[in-house]
């Protein structure tokens, strides 16, 4: 698995290990929280996936299934440093696919994006057939890797599945990063710090709890899953940033008003996903609603900061 020490990846590693899988992790440990998330029972290789040394990991631990989660995930950073997206999300992804071909991998499960891929939607909810017109370098890089995955996999008889999650949140997300409004807001609220909302706060996204995304990843690895499937993974409901702020303020007891700053380039105004294909073909449905997910996330933030629950 690539990105197995990151936010979603670390949760997926735990689930796979508990289900009896043998997991090997490749991660550059660039996240500020990565070292705390590495599972001690899974071999971990600190490595940039664009490096030739990735072949050595495949040689030592030949995989049957590859879960690909490693990525530069910040929309804001992608607009500021597009070369980083190209290096990690495209060059690194192609290197990974080449090793999959070389070492006879049976299936690749690519975690793409449903929040940044479709751009400003022509219709809502977005299904998988919606036109692809990303507003950010991040979304464009994810779309490019989807196409490389399809072509390389089909040319080399590798099964593949593409998952397009919405805005993923939950325990373990980096509150010091540039992505993950729930973790960022929740951490600052618990510390009594100012919270900044970019724009008017009415921009709305599809928030999906990390355990539900992990469940989709596990479902995608089943042998009966249709070849070449592409699936939106989300709640199917739009939630505004202002609503996220209010829910977190209530959960944390935060009483200060937010500060508003200018909007961020590349940010989609309003999007939510049609997940009916995942429900029908993967047997997947989201189980954690937003209020429960936020409560769990805040509880984890309290624990991480040595704060008492109440």
């Amino acid at each position: 698995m690539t990105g197995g020490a990151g936010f979603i990846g670390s949760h997926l590693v735990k689930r796979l290990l508990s289900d009896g899988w043998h997991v090997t992790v490749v991660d550059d440990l660039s996240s500020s929280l990565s070292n705390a998330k590495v599972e001690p029972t899974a071999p971990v290789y600190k490595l940039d996936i664009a490096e030739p040394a990735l072949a050595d990991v495949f040689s030592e631990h030949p995989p049957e299934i590859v879960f690909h989660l490693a990525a530069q995930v910040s929309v804001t950073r992608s607009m500021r440093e597009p070369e980083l997206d190209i290096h990690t999300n495209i060059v690194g992804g192609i290197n990974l696919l080449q090793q999959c071909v070389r070492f006879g991998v049976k299936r690749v499960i690519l975690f793409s994006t449903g929040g940044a891929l479709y751009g400003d939607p022509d219709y809502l909810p977005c299904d998988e057939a919606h036109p692809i017109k990303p507003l950010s370098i991040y979304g464009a890089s994810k779309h490019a890797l989807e196409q490389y995955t399809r072509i390389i996999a089909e040319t080399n008889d590798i099964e593949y599945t593409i998952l397009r999650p919405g805005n993923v949140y939950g325990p373990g997300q980096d509150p010091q990063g540039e992505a993950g409004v729930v973790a960022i807001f929740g951490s600052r609220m618990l510390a009594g710090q100012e919270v900044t909302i970019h724009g008017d706060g009415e921009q709305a996204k599809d928030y999906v709890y990390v355990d539900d995304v992990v469940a989709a990843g596990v479902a995608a690895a089943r042998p009966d899953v249709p070849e070449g499937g592409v699936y939106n993974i989300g709640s199917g409901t739009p939630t505004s940033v202002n609503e996220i702020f209010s829910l977190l303020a209530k959960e944390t007891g935060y009483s200060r008003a937010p500060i508003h700053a200018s909007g961020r380039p590349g940010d989609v105004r309003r999007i939510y996903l049609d997940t009916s294909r995942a429900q029908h073909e993967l047997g997947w449905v989201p189980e954690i609603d937003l209020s429960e997910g936020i409560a769990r996330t805040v509880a984890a933030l309290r624990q991480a900061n040595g704060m008492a629950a109440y």
Side-chain angles (χ1 to χ4, degrees), residues 25-77:
V25 172
V26 174
D27 197 296
D28 67 1
L29 305 183
S30 58
S31 166
S32 66
L33 297 182
S34 288
N35 289 304
K37 296 181 184 177
V38 176
E39 284 295 306
T41 56
V44 178
Y45 291 82
K46 182 180 180 181
L47 185 67
D48 180 339
I49 60 169
E51 295 298 322
L54 184 63
D56 298 333
V57 181
F58 273 72
S59 179
E60 188 170 349
H61 301 276
E64 292 187 10
I65 297 177
V66 169
F67 294 85
H68 180 39
L69 294 92
Q72 192 296 114
V73 298
S74 169
V75 168
T76 304
R77 190 174 185 185

Side-chain angles (χ1 to χ4, degrees), residues 173-178 180-198 245 248-249 252-259 297-298 301-302 305 307:
Q173 194 166 28
D174 187 357
Q176 306 303 321
E178 296 185 351
V181 64
V182 174
I184 294 169
F185 283 12
S187 178
R188 295 189 68 83
M189 286 178 180
L190 288 172
Q193 299 172 340
E194 294 177 338
V195 173
T196 299
I197 293 177
H198 292 273
F245 179 93
L248 283 166
T252 60
Y254 188 77
S255 59
R256 300 171 67 170
I259 296 172
T297 304
V298 170
L301 286 169
R302 289 185 187 280
N305 290 291
M307 303 171 70

Side-chain angles (χ1 to χ4, degrees), residues 200-216:
D200 61 7
E202 286 305 299
Q203 58 270 38
K205 307 292 176 63
D206 189 325
Y207 291 88
V208 57
Y209 191 68
V210 64
D211 285 358
D212 285 327
V213 176
V214 165

